[in-house]
């Protein structure tokens, strides 16, 4: 198979430093629309025209595009998408407030996350998949109990948790719900502790979340995260630069026959994996209720044990997705079993859908250090189980 790849990129209509939202306003409505969807769509339209002129024919072969411009792509691969901006920003601030201020008894530093909480997560949950290999394969089955780490009188505080810290961990590992159990966003999952101390629950108040509410939502440049309360959620929902449409019939239906592959690392420190599960489940439920189609025929989600946001982490995390190879972590091979881009091409062109993928962990997340181990990536909602045999090769595991 010869695959010609053309790429387009866009600044989404503004220039800014990472982590700043001041460009959005107050009241810079055109810039917000460019960022939300217009810039990407226009880039795709322009890019297709360039490909057509360059190759003399149209090319034969992200979520907002699928929902709003279903004709733009035949196949789309998305990794842990930030598709529900309004709730993502709420969640980020909620997560950060769980440990703020950093001089309080609830604050948890990176060292305690990594050296105290992570080992206890492994002690309680590592063997659930049948193998104690230092990898939490599926945190859905890990009912982590941080109270096992409660400080005893006189115990060194760097080896245990205060009651306030235990309560914070319990909130951090719970979905964000308000009022009458209204679901706002997912949670952190047990297993990613090596990154949580530098992620959303670190000592610094979360600046992009603050800018989001200052410049997009409330138009109040003096607002700070200490002013946060759940009354801002419906105000943010009203702004709606988000991609949560459940009806994908124009993309997946017989008229277009589009394919969507999504992946998410269980140890994502930036966007709760629960967001990917929630979107998949919402499309699944809608599709079952309103169509005769099987979600498996157009949308598949793969979960990646121990992977951080889109790459990195301590599990097998290289399978050809964006950011991986550029970070020194190419897939083991370019075939559809190991490379998600080839899996997509095979699905779109030959109708062969991936049932699972095989990812590799390069030692130290660096290809020059050699293969550490390989593992299957299971199609959600399946889970990984150790069958027996060599613990470093994917064929000793199965998806059930
Ligand atoms: C803030 O400004 C934006 C853009 O002009 C507008 O959509 C939004 O409704 C405003 N928010 C409030 C709380 O007035
Ligand atoms: C935490 O720091 C703030 C600001 O520096 C200070 O006002 C507050 O008294 C401190 N709280 C504690 C418990 O030390
Ligand atoms: C495999 O087992 C060996 C021996 O018990 C152990 O040292 C190694 O860490 C294990 N590797 C993985 C990836 O499970
Ligand atoms: C981390 O916090 C603990 C208390 O929870 C403290 O004993 C320890 O000294 C801190 N470590 C660092 C590196 O700041
Ligand atoms: C909640 O936040 C909004 C927006 O900052 C503010 O107007 C309101 O007074 C706050 N409500 C409470 C109960 O603090
Ligand atoms: C789903 O979307 C399609 C295309 O926009 C529309 O024709 C159809 O009526 C929608 N279905 C429902 C049940 O809303
Ligand atoms: C990978 O390891 C090699 C050799 O140790 C080193 O030169 C290179 O910078 C590393 N690559 C990355 C992306 O860290
Ligand atoms: C992956 O899918 C293929 C094809 O359905 C199947 O033969 C294989 O057993 C699956 N691997 C795992 C680990 O489940």
């Amino acid at each position: 198979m010869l695959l010609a790849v053309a790429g387009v990129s866009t600044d989404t209509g503004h220039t800014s430093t990472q982590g700043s939202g001041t460009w959005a306003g107050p009241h810079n409505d055109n810039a917000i629309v460019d960022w939300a969807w217009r810039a990407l769509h226009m880039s795709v339209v322009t890019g297709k025209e360039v490909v057509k002129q360059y190759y003399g024919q149209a090319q034969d072969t992200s979520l907002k595009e699928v929902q709003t411009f279903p004709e733009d792509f035949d196949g789309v691969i998305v990794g842990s998408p930030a598709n529900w901006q309004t709730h993502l920003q709420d969640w980020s601030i909620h997560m950060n407030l769980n440990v703020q201020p950093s001089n309080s008894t609830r604050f948890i530093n990176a060292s305690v996350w990594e050296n105290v909480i992570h080992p206890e997560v492994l002690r309680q949950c590592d063997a659930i998949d049948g193998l104690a290999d230092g990898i939490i394969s599926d945190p859905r089955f890990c009912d982590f109990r941080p109270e096992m780490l409660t400080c005893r009188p006189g115990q060194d505080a760097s080896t245990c948790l205060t009651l306030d810290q235990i309560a914070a961990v319990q909130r951090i590992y719970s979905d964000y719900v308000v009022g009458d159990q209204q679901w706002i966003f997912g949670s952190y999952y047990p297993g990613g502790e090596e990154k949580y101390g530098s992620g959303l629950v670190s000592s610094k108040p979360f600046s992009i979340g603050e800018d989001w509410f200052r410049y997009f939502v409330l138009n109040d440049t003096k607002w700070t995260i200490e002013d946060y309360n759940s009354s801002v959620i419906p105000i943010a929902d009203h702004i709606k630069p988000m991609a949560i449409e459940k009806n994908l019939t124009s993309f997946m239906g017989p008229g277009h026959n589009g394919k969507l592959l999504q992946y998410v690392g269980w140890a994502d420190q930036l966007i709760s994996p629960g967001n990917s599960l929630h979107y998949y489940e919402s499309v699944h439920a809608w599709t079952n209720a309103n169509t005769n189609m099987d979600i498996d025929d157009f949308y598949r989600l793969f979960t990646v044990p121990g992977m951080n946001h889109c790459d990195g982490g301590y599990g097998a995390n290289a399978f050809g997705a964006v950011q991986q190879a550029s970070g020194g972590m190419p897939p083991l091979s370019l075939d559809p079993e190991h490379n998600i881009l080839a899996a997509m091409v095979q699905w779109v062109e030959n109708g062969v859908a991936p049932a699972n993928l095989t990812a590799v962990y390069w030692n130290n997340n660096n290809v020059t250090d050699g293969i550490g181990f390989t593992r299957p990536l299971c199609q959600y909602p399946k889970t990984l189980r150790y069958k027996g045999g060599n613990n470093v090769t994917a064929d000793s595991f199965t998806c059930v």
Side-chain angles (χ1 to χ4, degrees), residues 10-28:
T10 170
D11 66 3
T12 67
H14 67 272
T15 54
S16 126
T17 55
Q18 199 178 11
S20 166
T22 56
W23 55 268
H27 299 298
N28 201 353

Side-chain angles (χ1 to χ4, degrees), residues 107-109 111-112 156-160 165:
F107 180 68
I108 302 165
N109 61 33
S111 163
V112 169
D156 177 351
S158 66
T159 63
C160 58
Q165 288 174 321

Side-chain angles (χ1 to χ4, degrees), residues 95-384:
M95 290 290 273
N96 198 239
L97 288 172
N98 282 325
V99 295
Q100 293 294 337
S102 54
N103 61 355
S104 68
T105 50
R106 59 174 172 267
F107 180 68
I108 302 165
N109 61 33
S111 163
V112 169
W113 278 113
E114 193 170 341
N115 303 314
V116 180
I117 302 176
H118 187 64
E120 179 65 15
V121 166
L122 291 180
R123 196 186 68 78
Q124 292 183 27
C125 298
D126 186 4
I128 289 172
D129 58 5
L131 180 68
D133 56 354
I135 303 170
I136 300 294
S137 290
D138 194 335
R140 287 177 296 174
F141 300 106
C142 178
D143 182 16
F144 180 56
R145 296 173 58 222
E147 62 274 22
M148 299 301 285
L149 290 167
T150 308
C151 291
R152 291 182 302 273
Q155 188 175 355
D156 177 351
S158 66
T159 63
C160 58
L161 298 180
T162 65
L163 295 180
D164 288 345
Q165 288 174 321
I166 288 168
V169 172
Q170 280 162 342
R171 283 193 300 271
I172 287 164
Y173 288 155
S174 301
D175 283 1
Y176 182 22
V177 294
V178 294
D180 191 18
Q181 295 296 300
Q182 190 197 348
W183 194 89
I184 306 301
F185 215 68
S187 63
Y188 270 176
Y189 284 81
E193 292 75 21
E194 288 168 357
K195 278 283 162 69
Y196 294 163
S198 56
L200 299 176
V201 296
S202 70
S203 59
K204 284 204 200 89
F206 189 59
S207 70
I208 183 76
E210 192 164 82
D211 279 0
W212 162 258
F213 282 100
R214 282 183 178 178
Y215 299 105
F216 288 70
V217 179
L218 300 170
N219 310 314
D220 174 0
T221 55
K222 296 199 180 63
W223 190 89
T224 68
I225 72 164
E226 287 80 36
D227 298 323
Y228 178 83
N229 66 53
S230 60
S231 80
V232 299
I233 297 171
I235 302 175
D237 277 343
H238 184 69
I239 316 275
K240 283 198 170 50
M242 54 187 180
I244 56 169
E245 177 59 57
K246 300 189 267 278
N247 175 359
L248 299 185
T249 47
S250 326
F251 177 71
M252 79 205 189
H256 187 63
N257 202 20
K259 307 296 181 202
L260 179 58
L261 283 179
Q262 184 171 341
Y263 59 89
V264 65
W266 280 121
D268 194 316
Q269 78 283 26
L270 296 181
I271 300 176
S272 168
N275 176 57
S276 283
L277 274 48
H278 186 265
Y279 182 65
Y280 175 89
E281 292 290 6
S282 72
V283 174
H284 189 193
W286 189 93
T287 304
N288 280 354
N290 294 284
T291 76
N292 296 324
M293 294 197 66
D294 183 348
I295 192 169
D296 249 21
D297 292 337
F298 65 91
Y299 179 11
R300 294 181 177 218
L301 169 63
F302 292 87
T303 53
V304 188
M307 184 173 80
N308 300 136
H309 185 64
C310 294
D311 66 2
Y314 62 89
N317 59 47
F319 48 95
V322 70
Q323 281 181 35
Q324 296 174 2
S326 56
M329 296 172 282
L332 198 58
S333 127
L334 296 179
D335 66 31
E337 184 193 339
H338 299 92
N339 181 10
I340 194 169
L341 188 57
M344 174 57 88
V345 171
Q346 191 182 45
W347 196 9
V348 168
E349 297 194 344
N350 307 335
V352 178
N356 49 63
L357 298 161
T358 299
V360 59
Y361 176 80
W362 299 106
N363 285 316
N364 308 312
N365 282 325
N366 185 331
V367 67
T368 58
D369 292 340
I371 297 172
F373 51 89
T374 59
R375 289 278 189 278
L377 302 182
C378 298
Q379 186 194 345
Y380 177 83
K382 284 187 174 173
T383 194
L384 192 71

